[in-house]
Amino acid sequence: MDATLNKLKNSRSAHYGYCGKALGRLDKAHDEYLHSNIENITVEDIEEMENMVEEFRASIERYFNAHLLVQEIEPTAEDDTHTLRIDEFQTKILTSRKAIKLATRLYHESTRVTNANTSSTANHDVTDTRPRPGSNFRIDRNSQPQELCTSISLQSFKVWHDKFSVHYRINNMRHMEPGDQVGHLFACLSSEMITKLRFTMGIT
């Protein structure tokens, strides 16, 4: 019995190690594709992420099955270390799938905006892929603050916020559709800030 139990525990440890390696690859892909380079993400990148998530899921399933076999011989409390690890891994799977879903949506949105701008901005030398505000209101650009960057200090952010509040009131943005208000906000943000808002808060 002891030999069988030790063999099962060794198998469980091995599968835990496989989970750790799969998680490491997934975390690296998160940093590379979804944090640092999401503006340039491709279909191939998304597919690679999906494959990594599936690999991680399969590793978790094997780890869980090995843990169940050990528990049949040596029952443990429900909150034992292995059960907690498995729960953490499952949470990571859910988070990754949500991130991939958001990345896929951003990719399609970027493609649509780029295609639309390419076909409709013959008089512009540079294509602006940020959301364009609606045309029902005439906007006074003189009141528009400089673009808000991600590296801004708290004091500078307060100054920017005050300027944007004035810009908001002067142009009666509260009467605009919510989507147009977001568009005008994005016009006052850097591309990096827009990407972070979209990814971390789901603002589109």
Side-chain angles (χ1 to χ4, degrees):
M1 180 67 71
D2 290 341
T4 300
L5 180 59
N6 288 334
K7 185 176 180 180
L8 291 174
K9 285 184 175 181
N10 289 336
S11 175
R12 181 179 64 182
S13 296
H15 286 302
Y16 173 65
Y18 296 145
C19 285
K21 291 179 180 179
L23 177 59
R25 289 190 290 271
L26 187 58
D27 283 340
K28 182 178 180 181
H30 265 265
D31 292 337
E32 180 178 354
Y33 297 140
L34 303 181
H35 293 168
S36 305
N37 202 34
I38 193 170
E39 290 182 330
N40 300 317
I41 198 166
T42 65
V43 173
E44 290 74 17
D45 295 333
I46 294 173
E47 289 178 349
E48 184 176 357
M49 286 284 295
E50 291 174 339
N51 291 336
M52 289 182 180
V53 170
E54 176 56 28
E55 177 189 2
F56 185 37
R57 186 207 61 77
S59 298
I60 295 172
E61 183 176 351
R62 290 190 289 269
Y63 175 38
F64 177 67
N65 290 337
H67 181 51
L68 289 180
L69 291 175
V70 172
Q71 283 190 314
E72 288 180 2
I73 299 176
E74 186 181 71
T76 56
E78 291 184 359
D79 61 347
D80 74 292
T81 302
H82 291 285
T83 300
L84 295 176
R85 286 171 178 168
I86 291 169
D87 288 342
E88 291 173 359
F89 288 157
Q90 293 287 8
T91 300
K92 180 66 177 181
I93 287 287
L94 295 176
T95 302
S96 295
R97 285 176 172 163
K98 288 180 180 178
I100 291 173
K101 184 177 180 181
L102 176 59
T104 302
R105 190 181 74 191
L106 292 178
Y107 168 78
H108 289 301
E109 286 180 356
S110 176
T111 300
R112 286 197 302 271
V113 171
T114 301
N115 291 340
N117 287 339
T118 300
S119 61
S120 63
T121 57
N123 295 326
H124 294 273
D125 295 328
V126 179
T127 299
D128 183 2
T129 59
R130 292 181 297 181
R132 293 186 177 276
S135 58
N136 295 330
F137 291 81
R138 188 177 298 276
I139 298 299
D140 179 11
R141 297 297 177 188
N142 293 325
S143 65
Q144 182 172 310
Q146 292 184 343
E147 289 185 351
L148 177 67
C149 301
T150 54
S151 59
I152 196 170
S153 65
L154 178 59
Q155 182 177 0
S156 297
F157 171 77
K158 290 179 179 178
V159 173
W160 178 91
H161 181 271
D162 290 338
K163 290 182 177 179
F164 181 82
S165 297
V166 172
H167 180 57
Y168 184 93
R169 291 194 300 271
I170 287 177
N171 292 285
N172 293 316
M173 291 187 189
R174 63 190 180 90
H175 297 298
M176 297 179 184
E177 293 294 328
D180 291 338
Q181 293 187 38
V182 172
H184 287 297
L185 169 62
F186 278 14
C188 302
L189 306 178
S190 68
S191 298
E192 184 180 6
M193 177 64 79
I194 293 173
T195 298
K196 287 187 177 296
L197 287 177
R198 281 175 162 172
F199 180 69
T200 61
M201 301 180 65
I203 297 177
T204 59

